[in-house]
Amino acid sequence: MPAKTGLSHAGAAFTSVLLGLTVETYVERLALLESVTDHAGRIVTATTGGSVDPGLGGPLLVATGLSFVWGVFYHAGRFDASAGR
């Protein structure tokens, strides 16, 4: 069981990294994305009292939020589908 679920999580993480790099290449020109990550970075910096750089905190907060949303949909899709069987 751990090998089966571990492999799917490793594959998902690897795919996320590749897709993230690809999306970054195409979306980098959009000012909206930059403004969102800058604002998130300022929030993280203000929350931590300045111990986290906004250039690191913004993308980290955005990536964490996207990972959380993905996890919720994954959980709902996997366990709601198996409940009907």
Side-chain angles (χ1 to χ4, degrees):
M1 179 76 119
K4 182 179 174 184
T5 58
L7 183 60
S8 68
H9 283 85
F14 183 68
T15 303
S16 295
V17 168
L18 292 179
L19 287 176
L21 292 172
T22 304
V23 168
E24 179 187 14
T25 302
Y26 292 109
V27 179
E28 188 176 33
R29 298 181 193 117
L30 297 176
L32 177 62
L33 182 64
E34 185 176 353
S35 117
V36 168
T37 54
D38 286 345
H39 184 66
R42 287 192 299 271
I43 290 172
V44 170
T45 300
T47 303
T48 60
S51 62
V52 176
D53 183 56
L56 174 67
L60 186 62
L61 183 63
V62 170
T64 301
L66 291 173
S67 297
F68 177 77
V69 169
W70 178 85
V72 168
F73 280 112
Y74 174 80
H75 180 78
R78 179 178 176 142
F79 293 106
D80 285 348
S82 65
R85 292 182 197 169

